[in-house]
Amino acid sequence: MQQGYINAEMSDFIIQHSTFINIQPNFDLEKLQFISGYFGPFKINQIVEVPLWVAIELKKKNKCRVIPPEWLSIEKLQQKLDEETINELELAKMEQYYFEISSILFSYCRDDIKDDDKIKLLLEDIKTRRESKIQKKIEEFIQRGSDALKINNLNQHERNKIYSNFYGDLKKLRQLKLLSES
């Protein structure tokens, strides 16, 4: 496995276990115990923070309402889209797993996301802008024949995409450059 590359399954596992999210349960229970710790107490309509995977499992059973993270709002996403538009060279700093978390939430909790259609469009616009900047950086890197590619503020999804799409090609380019230098 290449350094920095995390496959989709491992990425989903890490995200769902390391990301905490607020829920509003519709049941009462003191605590739930898992290998990763205790969660709760759960009181009807009282907000509690749980790992994303617990929120998804409870949502699947109609036992809670998931409260989307603050960054998954029209206002915050519009700010990020504006940053991406204003700065044509650099990527805006984003939530590390914004792409994966938003995909998971749209898959299981869409009914809990206010203005979901508008938010989905904003996420797509942000993703498109970022992919365009990344593509431009990669093209510049190849034209320069550099030894290293540096792109600030990549999130895990973008890193994985670069590694899976370009790692082999970049390795071959480096080998060709070494051959031409010898």
Side-chain angles (χ1 to χ4, degrees):
M1 181 181 293
Q2 300 100 10
Q3 183 180 2
Y5 178 76
I6 299 175
N7 67 32
E9 293 81 21
M10 183 171 287
S11 184
D12 277 354
F13 180 85
I14 291 168
I15 292 162
Q16 289 194 35
H17 285 77
S18 65
T19 301
F20 282 73
I21 194 160
N22 288 325
I23 63 166
Q24 196 171 28
N26 58 20
F27 64 95
D28 286 322
L29 186 66
E30 272 310 301
K31 288 186 179 180
L32 290 174
Q33 179 183 358
F34 297 100
I35 292 171
S36 56
Y38 291 92
F39 304 104
F42 300 90
K43 304 281 184 209
I44 292 176
N45 295 326
Q46 287 188 6
I47 294 172
V48 63
E49 187 179 63
V50 296
L52 182 55
W53 73 269
V54 172
I56 297 305
E57 289 304 315
L58 290 173
K59 180 66 179 178
K60 286 181 192 175
K61 293 170 176 42
N62 293 316
K63 294 292 182 188
C64 73
R65 180 177 78 80
V66 172
I67 300 168
E70 190 176 309
W71 57 262
L72 194 60
S73 67
I74 290 174
E75 179 183 324
K76 297 289 185 185
L77 291 173
Q78 186 62 58
Q79 287 174 354
K80 290 298 178 183
L81 181 59
D82 292 345
E83 284 179 48
E84 294 293 354
T85 303
I86 290 168
N87 189 341
E88 295 179 13
L89 300 175
E90 296 296 322
L91 298 174
K93 189 163 179 68
M94 297 285 292
E95 178 74 27
Q96 174 66 345
Y97 299 113
Y98 89 93
F99 179 81
E100 296 90 341
I101 292 170
S102 61
S103 294
I104 292 167
L105 292 177
F106 271 93
S107 292
Y108 297 103
C109 313
R110 190 172 189 136
D111 61 323
D112 292 333
I113 301 172
K114 184 182 175 194
D115 299 316
D116 60 323
D117 289 332
K118 175 75 172 156
I119 287 175
K120 189 84 165 164
L121 286 173
L122 284 167
L123 286 166
E124 286 300 319
D125 288 347
I126 290 168
K127 183 180 172 203
T128 301
R129 289 249 166 80
R130 291 174 69 86
E131 286 175 348
S132 175
K133 289 180 186 181
I134 292 167
Q135 184 64 38
K136 187 183 268 187
K137 291 257 187 201
I138 290 170
E139 288 169 3
E140 290 170 1
F141 163 78
I142 291 170
Q143 288 173 355
R144 282 192 320 266
S146 300
D147 287 334
L149 172 63
K150 182 176 181 180
I151 305 174
N152 293 325
N153 298 323
L154 285 173
N155 61 48
Q156 191 62 49
H157 173 76
E158 293 159 342
R159 261 193 299 284
N160 287 348
K161 193 169 182 179
I162 290 170
Y163 285 130
S164 65
N165 290 338
F166 301 109
Y167 182 78
D169 293 340
L170 294 176
K171 194 172 177 181
K172 288 174 190 168
L173 282 172
R174 185 173 213 177
Q175 288 171 341
L176 288 172
K177 185 175 182 183
L178 290 173
L179 281 174
S180 69
E181 291 174 354
S182 56

